[in-house]
Amino acid sequence: MPKVNYHTHTARCMHAEGADRDYVESALAGGFTTLGFSDHTPWRYAGDYVATVRMAESELPGYLDSIRALKAEYAGKIEILCGLECEYFPAYLDWLRETARTQQLDYLIFGNHFFPSDETAPYFGRSTKDAAMLRRYVDSALLGMDCGLFSYLAHPDLFLRSYPAFDANARAASREICRAAKRLSLPLEYNLLGARNNERYHIDGYPHEGFWRIAAEEGCTAILGVDAHIPAHLADPKYWDAGLARLRGLGIELTHTIRLRPWEDGPQ
Ligand SMILES: [Zn+2]
Ligand SMILES: [Zn+2]
């Protein structure tokens, strides 16, 4: 299977490092044939909120220009795609759809980090500690998967980074998410930044064994995502190979392709 990664950040999000070019060079060193950039999307907030984990809307043209220049420069060596990682923020979704269209993005991936917006809600990766927040995580995941804009769900098991146990609620939440992904033919991302953090911090966060067992049972399709915030992670085969081996061990179907520009399908 060709080595492809659609989950790559840039320093614009303020918690990644390196130059855009460094990610391409590192991906080449790592043997990737396709590198998709999917930095944290900006949003056009209604109020004066200023996010600290994503580029400003004014930085979007520079991001697109930079990735497209690299795409042209590296043509024939590696395929470069231009996307964004986005939450499901109902009030701002029309802006996102319009932006995807007018800016001719290749794809959007769904990172269910906050809901209904980061203006008011805490980060699911730190705050999903009880059944009520878990419900909110699942509701947001289902709405986002259903909206038709996204090519896959990134780190579907993000809630297990803060949810205290893989209890009946966590199992039911996992099953609900997996069934929706299956119904919509949306791949679930096995997140390699999470795998790195599990090992580094000796935690059982995400990817979570229990979640992926359920994903395999439900017949879901998995896709590996590096979630690179540091260029060197793309050149390091360790977590890629381990993730692949784990998924193959679970017998889950793997894909390396995603739907590009799904917003062009049918009337919106
Ligand atoms: Zn990030
Ligand atoms: Zn990401």
Side-chain angles (χ1 to χ4, degrees), residues 7 9 13 15-16 39-40 53 85 113 193 227 229:
H7 197 163
H9 292 279
C13 70
H15 59 278
D39 205 2
H40 294 282
V53 293
E85 179 180 19
H113 304 115
L193 180 60
D227 198 357
H229 290 74

Side-chain angles (χ1 to χ4, degrees), residues 1 15 24 35-36 59 80 110 127 188 190 221 259:
M1 186 180 325
H15 59 278
V24 180
L35 180 69
E59 292 175 279
I80 294 177
F110 179 24
S127 63
L188 297 175
Y190 186 93
T221 299
R259 275 172 71 199

Side-chain angles (χ1 to χ4, degrees), residues 167-215:
D167 61 9
N169 286 330
R171 288 194 296 276
S174 301
R175 209 165 282 283
E176 231 179 307
I177 290 166
C178 290
R179 285 190 177 161
K182 172 73 179 171
R183 173 172 57 81
L184 296 161
S185 300
L186 215 60
L188 297 175
E189 180 203 64
Y190 186 93
N191 186 279
L192 299 179
L193 180 60
R196 188 177 281 272
N197 288 334
N198 279 345
E199 183 173 297
R200 183 169 169 195
Y201 301 113
H202 308 288
I203 53 171
D204 195 15
Y206 68 93
H208 190 282
E209 178 75 17
F211 177 92
W212 286 95
R213 277 182 198 278
I214 288 173

Side-chain angles (χ1 to χ4, degrees), residues 16-256:
E17 57 188 63
D20 298 347
R21 174 185 302 278
D22 299 340
Y23 287 90
V24 180
E25 288 290 339
S26 193
L28 278 168
F32 285 91
T33 56
T34 296
L35 180 69
F37 280 88
S38 52
D39 205 2
H40 294 282
T41 189
W43 292 102
R44 185 174 290 176
Y45 294 108
D48 52 10
Y49 178 74
V50 179
T52 55
V53 293
R54 55 183 82 256
M55 69 179 87
E57 191 187 351
S58 60
E59 292 175 279
L60 186 60
Y63 167 72
L64 301 176
D65 285 351
S66 171
I67 305 311
R68 285 174 179 145
L70 289 167
K71 180 187 178 83
E73 183 183 336
Y74 284 86
K77 294 190 184 132
I78 185 168
E79 181 189 27
I80 294 177
L81 296 173
C82 197
L84 289 168
E85 179 180 19
C86 317
E87 292 80 6
Y88 180 81
F89 291 169
Y92 304 135
L93 213 65
D94 286 344
W95 173 85
L96 181 63
R97 187 180 286 113
E98 201 47 36
T99 298
R101 244 195 227 149
T102 55
Q103 302 299 323
Q104 297 182 295
L105 299 181
D106 293 315
Y107 69 96
L108 305 172
I109 61 173
F110 179 24
N112 187 26
H113 304 115
F114 308 92
F115 180 78
S117 155
D118 54 354
E119 295 157 287
T120 51
Y123 174 46
F124 280 127
R126 265 192 295 274
S127 63
T128 313
K129 294 183 191 261
D130 57 28
M133 267 310 269
L134 181 58
R135 189 65 246 162
R136 193 197 284 199
Y137 178 86
V138 174
D139 286 344
S140 171
L142 299 181
L143 286 166
M145 281 193 279
D146 229 1
C147 82
L149 284 180
F150 301 124
S151 296
Y152 77 53
L153 173 58
H155 40 63
D157 41 359
L158 175 69
F159 65 98
L160 288 162
R161 182 172 152 171
S162 54
Y163 195 73
F166 199 63
D167 61 9
N169 286 330
R171 288 194 296 276
S174 301
R175 209 165 282 283
E176 231 179 307
I177 290 166
C178 290
R179 285 190 177 161
K182 172 73 179 171
R183 173 172 57 81
L184 296 161
S185 300
L186 215 60
L188 297 175
E189 180 203 64
Y190 186 93
N191 186 279
L192 299 179
L193 180 60
R196 188 177 281 272
N197 288 334
N198 279 345
E199 183 173 297
R200 183 169 169 195
Y201 301 113
H202 308 288
I203 53 171
D204 195 15
Y206 68 93
H208 190 282
E209 178 75 17
F211 177 92
W212 286 95
R213 277 182 198 278
I214 288 173
E217 280 170 22
E218 295 295 335
C220 293
T221 299
I223 185 163
L224 291 178
V226 177
D227 198 357
H229 290 74
I230 295 174
H233 287 182
L234 288 158
D236 175 5
K238 179 178 170 186
Y239 295 96
W240 184 275
D241 293 345
L244 212 50
R246 191 179 189 192
L247 291 169
R248 286 187 172 138
L250 285 167
I252 194 167
E253 188 184 326
L254 274 152
T255 189
H256 65 278

